[in-house]
Short mmCIF file of all heavy atoms in Angstrom, two decimals:
data_model
loop_
_atom_site.label_atom_id
_atom_site.label_comp_id
_atom_site.label_asym_id
_atom_site.label_seq_id
_atom_site.Cartn_x
_atom_site.Cartn_y
_atom_site.Cartn_z
N LEU A 136 52.33 -65.57 46.93
CA LEU A 136 51.14 -66.05 47.65
C LEU A 136 50.66 -67.35 47.02
O LEU A 136 50.77 -67.53 45.81
CB LEU A 136 50.01 -65.02 47.59
CG LEU A 136 50.16 -63.73 48.38
CD1 LEU A 136 48.96 -62.82 48.10
CD2 LEU A 136 50.27 -63.99 49.86
N PRO A 137 50.13 -68.26 47.83
CA PRO A 137 49.53 -69.47 47.25
C PRO A 137 48.46 -69.07 46.23
O PRO A 137 47.76 -68.09 46.43
CB PRO A 137 48.87 -70.15 48.46
CG PRO A 137 49.56 -69.60 49.66
CD PRO A 137 50.01 -68.22 49.30
N ASP A 138 48.38 -69.84 45.14
CA ASP A 138 47.50 -69.46 44.03
C ASP A 138 46.05 -69.21 44.45
O ASP A 138 45.40 -68.30 43.97
CB ASP A 138 47.52 -70.54 42.95
CG ASP A 138 48.79 -70.43 42.11
OD1 ASP A 138 49.43 -69.35 42.15
OD2 ASP A 138 49.15 -71.40 41.44
N LYS A 139 45.59 -70.04 45.36
CA LYS A 139 44.20 -69.90 45.81
C LYS A 139 43.98 -68.55 46.48
O LYS A 139 42.99 -67.87 46.24
CB LYS A 139 43.87 -71.01 46.80
CG LYS A 139 42.82 -71.95 46.26
CD LYS A 139 42.35 -72.95 47.28
CE LYS A 139 40.96 -73.31 46.91
NZ LYS A 139 40.63 -74.66 46.67
N TRP A 140 44.90 -68.17 47.32
CA TRP A 140 44.78 -66.89 48.03
C TRP A 140 44.92 -65.74 47.03
O TRP A 140 44.25 -64.73 47.13
CB TRP A 140 45.86 -66.72 49.08
CG TRP A 140 45.87 -67.75 50.15
CD1 TRP A 140 45.04 -68.85 50.26
CD2 TRP A 140 46.73 -67.78 51.29
NE1 TRP A 140 45.36 -69.54 51.39
CE2 TRP A 140 46.38 -68.93 52.04
CE3 TRP A 140 47.76 -66.95 51.73
CZ2 TRP A 140 47.04 -69.25 53.22
CZ3 TRP A 140 48.42 -67.27 52.89
CH2 TRP A 140 48.06 -68.40 53.63
N LYS A 141 45.87 -65.94 46.10
CA LYS A 141 46.13 -64.88 45.14
C LYS A 141 44.86 -64.55 44.35
O LYS A 141 44.56 -63.39 44.09
CB LYS A 141 47.25 -65.31 44.19
CG LYS A 141 48.03 -64.14 43.63
CD LYS A 141 48.97 -64.55 42.53
CE LYS A 141 50.00 -65.57 42.99
NZ LYS A 141 50.82 -66.08 41.89
N ALA A 142 44.12 -65.60 43.98
CA ALA A 142 42.90 -65.38 43.22
C ALA A 142 41.94 -64.49 44.01
O ALA A 142 41.41 -63.50 43.48
CB ALA A 142 42.23 -66.71 42.89
N VAL A 143 41.74 -64.80 45.29
CA VAL A 143 40.83 -64.01 46.12
C VAL A 143 41.38 -62.59 46.31
O VAL A 143 40.69 -61.59 46.15
CB VAL A 143 40.63 -64.66 47.51
CG1 VAL A 143 39.85 -63.75 48.43
CG2 VAL A 143 39.94 -66.00 47.36
N PHE A 144 42.66 -62.54 46.62
CA PHE A 144 43.31 -61.26 46.90
C PHE A 144 43.21 -60.31 45.71
O PHE A 144 42.85 -59.14 45.86
CB PHE A 144 44.78 -61.51 47.25
CG PHE A 144 45.54 -60.29 47.67
CD1 PHE A 144 45.47 -59.83 48.97
CD2 PHE A 144 46.31 -59.60 46.74
CE1 PHE A 144 46.16 -58.69 49.35
CE2 PHE A 144 47.01 -58.45 47.12
CZ PHE A 144 46.93 -58.01 48.43
N VAL A 145 43.54 -60.83 44.53
CA VAL A 145 43.53 -59.95 43.36
C VAL A 145 42.11 -59.55 42.99
O VAL A 145 41.84 -58.38 42.74
CB VAL A 145 44.24 -60.60 42.17
CG1 VAL A 145 44.17 -59.71 40.96
CG2 VAL A 145 45.70 -60.88 42.50
N LEU A 146 41.19 -60.51 43.01
CA LEU A 146 39.81 -60.15 42.68
C LEU A 146 39.28 -59.08 43.64
O LEU A 146 38.56 -58.18 43.23
CB LEU A 146 38.90 -61.38 42.71
CG LEU A 146 39.05 -62.32 41.52
CD1 LEU A 146 38.16 -63.54 41.68
CD2 LEU A 146 38.70 -61.62 40.20
N LYS A 147 39.66 -59.19 44.90
CA LYS A 147 39.22 -58.20 45.88
C LYS A 147 39.73 -56.80 45.52
O LYS A 147 39.06 -55.81 45.75
CB LYS A 147 39.72 -58.60 47.28
CG LYS A 147 39.37 -57.62 48.39
CD LYS A 147 37.90 -57.65 48.70
CE LYS A 147 37.53 -56.54 49.69
NZ LYS A 147 36.08 -56.44 49.86
N HIS A 148 40.93 -56.74 44.97
CA HIS A 148 41.51 -55.42 44.71
C HIS A 148 41.26 -54.89 43.32
O HIS A 148 41.61 -53.76 43.01
CB HIS A 148 43.01 -55.44 45.02
CG HIS A 148 43.28 -55.59 46.49
ND1 HIS A 148 43.55 -56.80 47.06
CD2 HIS A 148 43.25 -54.69 47.49
CE1 HIS A 148 43.70 -56.63 48.36
NE2 HIS A 148 43.52 -55.38 48.66
N ILE A 149 40.69 -55.72 42.46
CA ILE A 149 40.33 -55.21 41.14
C ILE A 149 39.08 -54.37 41.31
O ILE A 149 38.04 -54.87 41.69
CB ILE A 149 40.03 -56.35 40.15
CG1 ILE A 149 41.29 -57.15 39.87
CG2 ILE A 149 39.48 -55.79 38.85
CD1 ILE A 149 41.07 -58.27 38.89
N ASP A 150 39.20 -53.11 41.05
CA ASP A 150 38.06 -52.21 41.16
C ASP A 150 37.30 -52.36 42.47
O ASP A 150 36.09 -52.22 42.52
CB ASP A 150 37.08 -52.44 39.99
CG ASP A 150 37.78 -52.25 38.67
OD1 ASP A 150 38.65 -51.36 38.59
OD2 ASP A 150 37.48 -52.99 37.73
N GLU A 151 38.03 -52.70 43.50
CA GLU A 151 37.44 -52.83 44.82
C GLU A 151 36.13 -53.60 44.81
O GLU A 151 35.11 -53.16 45.29
CB GLU A 151 37.28 -51.44 45.45
CG GLU A 151 38.67 -50.90 45.72
CD GLU A 151 38.69 -49.43 46.11
OE1 GLU A 151 37.63 -48.88 46.39
OE2 GLU A 151 39.79 -48.88 46.11
N ALA A 152 36.22 -54.79 44.25
CA ALA A 152 35.04 -55.64 44.18
C ALA A 152 34.53 -55.92 45.60
O ALA A 152 35.32 -56.01 46.52
CB ALA A 152 35.41 -56.97 43.52
N ASN A 153 33.21 -56.01 45.75
CA ASN A 153 32.74 -56.34 47.09
C ASN A 153 32.75 -57.85 47.28
O ASN A 153 32.86 -58.63 46.33
CB ASN A 153 31.36 -55.72 47.38
CG ASN A 153 30.30 -56.27 46.47
OD1 ASN A 153 30.28 -57.47 46.19
ND2 ASN A 153 29.43 -55.41 46.01
N ASN A 154 32.67 -58.25 48.54
CA ASN A 154 32.82 -59.67 48.84
C ASN A 154 31.77 -60.54 48.17
O ASN A 154 32.05 -61.67 47.80
CB ASN A 154 32.80 -59.90 50.35
CG ASN A 154 34.09 -59.44 50.99
OD1 ASN A 154 35.00 -58.97 50.31
ND2 ASN A 154 34.19 -59.57 52.29
N ASN A 155 30.56 -60.00 48.02
CA ASN A 155 29.50 -60.79 47.38
C ASN A 155 29.89 -61.24 45.99
O ASN A 155 29.65 -62.38 45.61
CB ASN A 155 28.21 -59.97 47.27
CG ASN A 155 27.46 -60.00 48.58
OD1 ASN A 155 27.68 -60.89 49.39
ND2 ASN A 155 26.59 -59.02 48.77
N GLU A 156 30.47 -60.30 45.23
CA GLU A 156 30.87 -60.65 43.87
C GLU A 156 31.89 -61.78 43.89
O GLU A 156 31.83 -62.69 43.08
CB GLU A 156 31.50 -59.45 43.16
CG GLU A 156 30.50 -58.35 42.79
CD GLU A 156 31.21 -57.10 42.30
OE1 GLU A 156 31.99 -57.21 41.34
OE2 GLU A 156 31.01 -56.03 42.90
N ILE A 157 32.85 -61.68 44.82
CA ILE A 157 33.89 -62.71 44.87
C ILE A 157 33.29 -64.04 45.34
O ILE A 157 33.63 -65.09 44.82
CB ILE A 157 35.03 -62.29 45.82
CG1 ILE A 157 35.56 -60.92 45.40
CG2 ILE A 157 36.16 -63.30 45.78
CD1 ILE A 157 36.58 -60.35 46.35
N CYS A 158 32.38 -63.97 46.32
CA CYS A 158 31.70 -65.20 46.78
C CYS A 158 31.06 -65.89 45.59
O CYS A 158 31.19 -67.10 45.42
CB CYS A 158 30.60 -64.87 47.78
SG CYS A 158 31.19 -64.23 49.34
N ASN A 159 30.37 -65.11 44.76
CA ASN A 159 29.69 -65.70 43.61
C ASN A 159 30.68 -66.22 42.58
O ASN A 159 30.51 -67.30 42.04
CB ASN A 159 28.76 -64.69 42.95
CG ASN A 159 27.61 -64.33 43.86
OD1 ASN A 159 27.25 -65.14 44.72
ND2 ASN A 159 27.06 -63.15 43.69
N GLU A 160 31.71 -65.41 42.33
CA GLU A 160 32.66 -65.81 41.29
C GLU A 160 33.44 -67.06 41.66
O GLU A 160 33.71 -67.90 40.81
CB GLU A 160 33.64 -64.66 41.00
CG GLU A 160 33.07 -63.68 39.99
CD GLU A 160 33.93 -62.45 39.83
OE1 GLU A 160 34.98 -62.35 40.47
OE2 GLU A 160 33.54 -61.58 39.03
N LEU A 161 33.83 -67.16 42.92
CA LEU A 161 34.68 -68.29 43.30
C LEU A 161 33.95 -69.35 44.11
O LEU A 161 34.50 -70.39 44.42
CB LEU A 161 35.89 -67.78 44.12
CG LEU A 161 36.80 -66.77 43.46
CD1 LEU A 161 37.92 -66.39 44.40
CD2 LEU A 161 37.37 -67.30 42.16
N ASN A 162 32.70 -69.04 44.45
CA ASN A 162 31.93 -69.97 45.25
C ASN A 162 32.58 -70.26 46.61
O ASN A 162 32.76 -71.41 47.00
CB ASN A 162 31.74 -71.27 44.44
CG ASN A 162 30.53 -72.04 44.91
OD1 ASN A 162 29.73 -71.51 45.68
ND2 ASN A 162 30.41 -73.27 44.46
N VAL A 163 32.95 -69.21 47.31
CA VAL A 163 33.46 -69.35 48.68
C VAL A 163 32.60 -68.49 49.60
O VAL A 163 31.98 -67.53 49.16
CB VAL A 163 34.92 -68.85 48.86
CG1 VAL A 163 35.90 -69.93 48.55
CG2 VAL A 163 35.20 -67.62 48.04
N SER A 164 32.60 -68.83 50.87
CA SER A 164 31.78 -68.07 51.82
C SER A 164 32.49 -66.76 52.17
O SER A 164 33.69 -66.62 52.01
CB SER A 164 31.57 -68.89 53.09
OG SER A 164 32.80 -68.99 53.77
N GLU A 165 31.69 -65.81 52.67
CA GLU A 165 32.27 -64.52 52.99
C GLU A 165 33.31 -64.64 54.12
O GLU A 165 34.35 -63.99 54.07
CB GLU A 165 31.20 -63.50 53.37
CG GLU A 165 31.84 -62.13 53.55
CD GLU A 165 30.87 -60.99 53.73
OE1 GLU A 165 29.69 -61.25 54.02
OE2 GLU A 165 31.33 -59.84 53.59
N SER A 166 33.03 -65.47 55.11
CA SER A 166 34.00 -65.56 56.22
C SER A 166 35.32 -66.17 55.72
O SER A 166 36.39 -65.81 56.19
CB SER A 166 33.43 -66.37 57.38
OG SER A 166 33.32 -67.72 57.03
N ASN A 167 35.20 -67.04 54.74
CA ASN A 167 36.39 -67.58 54.11
C ASN A 167 37.20 -66.50 53.40
O ASN A 167 38.43 -66.52 53.42
CB ASN A 167 35.98 -68.62 53.07
CG ASN A 167 36.64 -69.94 53.36
OD1 ASN A 167 37.74 -69.97 53.89
ND2 ASN A 167 35.98 -71.02 52.99
N ILE A 168 36.50 -65.59 52.77
CA ILE A 168 37.20 -64.49 52.08
C ILE A 168 37.97 -63.64 53.07
O ILE A 168 39.14 -63.31 52.85
CB ILE A 168 36.20 -63.63 51.27
CG1 ILE A 168 35.72 -64.45 50.08
CG2 ILE A 168 36.85 -62.33 50.80
CD1 ILE A 168 34.75 -63.74 49.21
N TRP A 169 37.34 -63.30 54.19
CA TRP A 169 38.06 -62.50 55.20
C TRP A 169 39.28 -63.24 55.70
O TRP A 169 40.35 -62.66 55.89
CB TRP A 169 37.15 -62.16 56.39
CG TRP A 169 36.13 -61.12 56.10
CD1 TRP A 169 34.78 -61.23 56.31
CD2 TRP A 169 36.34 -59.80 55.56
NE1 TRP A 169 34.15 -60.07 55.93
CE2 TRP A 169 35.07 -59.18 55.47
CE3 TRP A 169 37.47 -59.09 55.15
CZ2 TRP A 169 34.91 -57.88 54.98
CZ3 TRP A 169 37.31 -57.81 54.65
CH2 TRP A 169 36.05 -57.22 54.58
N THR A 170 39.13 -64.54 55.92
CA THR A 170 40.26 -65.33 56.41
C THR A 170 41.39 -65.35 55.39
O THR A 170 42.56 -65.16 55.74
CB THR A 170 39.82 -66.78 56.71
OG1 THR A 170 38.73 -66.72 57.63
CG2 THR A 170 40.93 -67.60 57.30
N ILE A 171 41.03 -65.56 54.12
CA ILE A 171 42.07 -65.61 53.08
C ILE A 171 42.76 -64.25 52.93
O ILE A 171 43.99 -64.18 52.83
CB ILE A 171 41.48 -66.08 51.74
CG1 ILE A 171 41.06 -67.55 51.85
CG2 ILE A 171 42.48 -65.90 50.61
CD1 ILE A 171 40.29 -68.08 50.67
N LEU A 172 41.97 -63.18 52.93
CA LEU A 172 42.58 -61.84 52.81
C LEU A 172 43.53 -61.58 53.98
O LEU A 172 44.64 -61.07 53.80
CB LEU A 172 41.49 -60.76 52.78
CG LEU A 172 40.67 -60.64 51.50
CD1 LEU A 172 39.50 -59.68 51.70
CD2 LEU A 172 41.54 -60.17 50.33
#
Side-chain angles (χ1 to χ4, degrees):
Chain A
L136 289 176
D138 283 342
K139 246 187 152 122
W140 300 3
K141 207 190 300 173
V143 172
F144 184 83
V145 177
L146 285 177
K147 178 70 187 172
H148 291 97
I149 293 181
D150 302 324
E151 292 169 13
N153 63 41
N154 286 0
N155 279 339
E156 288 171 56
I157 305 174
C158 293
N159 293 335
E160 275 173 1
L161 301 180
N162 203 11
V163 273
S164 69
E165 186 172 16
S166 69
N167 236 330
I168 289 180
W169 286 127
T170 304
I171 292 172
L172 287 171

